[in-house]
Amino acid sequence: MKADMAGLFDRSAATYDRIGVEFFGPMGRELVRRAGLRPGQSVLDVGCGRGAVLFPAAEAVGTTGSVIGIDLAPAMVELTRADAAAAGLGHVRVEVADAQTPPLPEATFDAVLAGLVVFLLPAPIDALRGYRRLLRPGGRLGFTTFAAHDPLFTETMRTLAQHLPEEQRQSPTAGQEDLFATRKSTMTLLETTGYQDIAVDEATFRSRFRDVEHWMTWAWSHGARGLLERIPTDRLPAALADATRVLKTAGEELTLTTIVRFAFGVRA
Ligand SMILES: C[S@@+](CC[C@H](N)C(=O)[O-])C[C@H]1O[C@@H](n2cnc3c(N)ncnc32)[C@H](O)[C@@H]1O
């Protein structure tokens, strides 16, 4: 399971958030803006991917602060580390590590941030408890989840899933999304894992695509790739043709509207 996750994001890493679609970038910047980081602070970014949260966080804390990004996928880490070095960010470290149980000293961070990753972990409740221990007293956890996907995205994924082998059709996603299904369940999670000053809010993001081909390239560049890869090769042309038919119902302007949930809690 862990190896499957790392493999999926390893194969996505080269194009993840790098194909000219404003999706993860604006969501990551907004998480950092809402986290209210200050110069000199120490930040852990779990599941850092290609740095949608990491780079804005590095800018916010400045060179007197520090940011550690961890990710399970070695290719994500290698590429993000190279981007950080190319940008001359000496206060940024990127390492391969498991966000389920980050191997880092307790009471170290002013902020732990997790952009669109907690629902992918095998045991999110344990992970959230662990992040609380990594925070200094008064430190803040901030994470994002998907509150609602665009109906066009959901319908396209459902159409693609029809081409999966019979036994895989029921659960096209493999995550723990149910725990984070509502604003209330998210608040309850933060309460039961020991956080205080809890705040959960939502914001809407609009992403634009040049055309259906651009949308498909985008789908291969992130977690949706997991579904595409499971479609048997001989079924793939029919699956893509069906998905194209769905996407073309959008007409000339192909966009997605995604609602993202922002959750914060403080270690007392
Ligand atoms: C949807 S991406 C989000 C990346 C980035 N935070 C962003 O906002 O664009 C999820 C990332 O979490 C990583 N990931 C998934 N499970 C993980 C785990 N157990 N430990 C560390 N990273 C993990 C994946 O490799 C991937 O890079």
Side-chain angles (χ1 to χ4, degrees):
M1 166 101 183
K2 203 161 131 178
D4 291 350
M5 183 70 76
L8 166 64
F9 282 102
D10 252 351
R11 295 187 293 281
S12 318
T15 52
Y16 182 95
D17 206 16
R18 293 291 185 278
I19 53 154
V21 177
E22 288 279 286
F23 191 81
F24 298 106
M27 296 169 187
R29 286 196 292 276
E30 184 60 11
L31 175 61
V32 170
R33 190 189 71 73
R34 289 175 183 235
L37 301 177
R38 293 190 303 278
Q41 287 190 318
S42 155
V43 178
L44 170 64
D45 175 21
V46 301
C48 63
R50 292 296 306 273
V53 174
L54 181 103
F55 290 113
E59 193 181 343
V61 300
T63 52
T64 57
S66 64
V67 183
I68 302 178
I70 61 167
D71 201 286
L72 207 53
M76 286 287 193
V77 169
E78 203 178 302
L79 292 166
T80 304
R81 190 185 279 156
D83 288 346
L89 300 176
H91 62 305
V92 170
R93 249 175 64 203
V94 191
E95 305 289 345
V96 176
D98 192 346
Q100 180 61 55
T101 48
L104 291 161
E106 297 197 354
T108 304
F109 298 98
D110 298 301
V112 173
L113 300 178
L116 302 171
V117 64
V118 284
F119 49 86
L120 297 175
L121 301 176
I125 295 175
D126 295 341
L128 295 182
R129 286 205 175 101
Y131 301 161
R132 189 170 52 81
R133 288 191 293 271
L134 296 180
L135 286 165
R136 292 183 176 136
R140 204 157 178 232
L141 167 72
F143 66 81
T144 49
T145 55
F146 291 112
H149 286 293
D150 193 298
L152 183 68
F153 177 80
T154 309
E155 180 58 16
T156 308
M157 295 305 281
R158 198 194 59 77
T159 301
L160 286 166
Q162 296 302 313
H163 293 268
L164 288 171
E166 183 80 45
E167 68 280 6
Q168 293 184 31
R169 274 183 214 165
Q170 291 315 309
S171 57
T173 63
Q176 302 273 348
E177 286 91 344
D178 287 355
L179 280 174
F180 302 93
T182 63
R183 186 164 176 268
K184 188 159 188 321
S185 72
T186 306
M187 293 189 85
T188 305
L189 259 185
L190 283 166
E191 274 159 25
T192 54
T193 50
Y195 290 89
Q196 297 194 346
D197 295 334
I198 294 164
V200 180
D201 211 345
E202 290 168 2
T204 301
F205 295 84
R206 176 72 63 90
S207 312
R208 291 189 165 73
F209 301 83
R210 285 192 299 276
D211 48 31
V212 169
E213 202 182 324
H214 194 206
W215 196 101
M216 287 297 181
T217 309
W218 172 77
W220 282 98
S221 75
H222 58 78
R225 183 186 186 105
L227 190 155
L228 288 160
E229 284 183 344
R230 284 185 289 126
I231 298 173
T233 319
D234 60 335
R235 299 278 304 159
L236 202 51
L240 296 179
D242 282 354
T244 298
R245 261 192 296 282
V246 173
L247 289 167
K248 286 209 161 150
T249 61
E252 282 297 293
E253 207 190 341
L254 190 49
T255 62
L256 285 185
T257 301
T258 309
I259 304 176
V260 172
R261 189 168 292 129
F262 294 81
F264 290 94
V266 170
R267 175 180 182 175

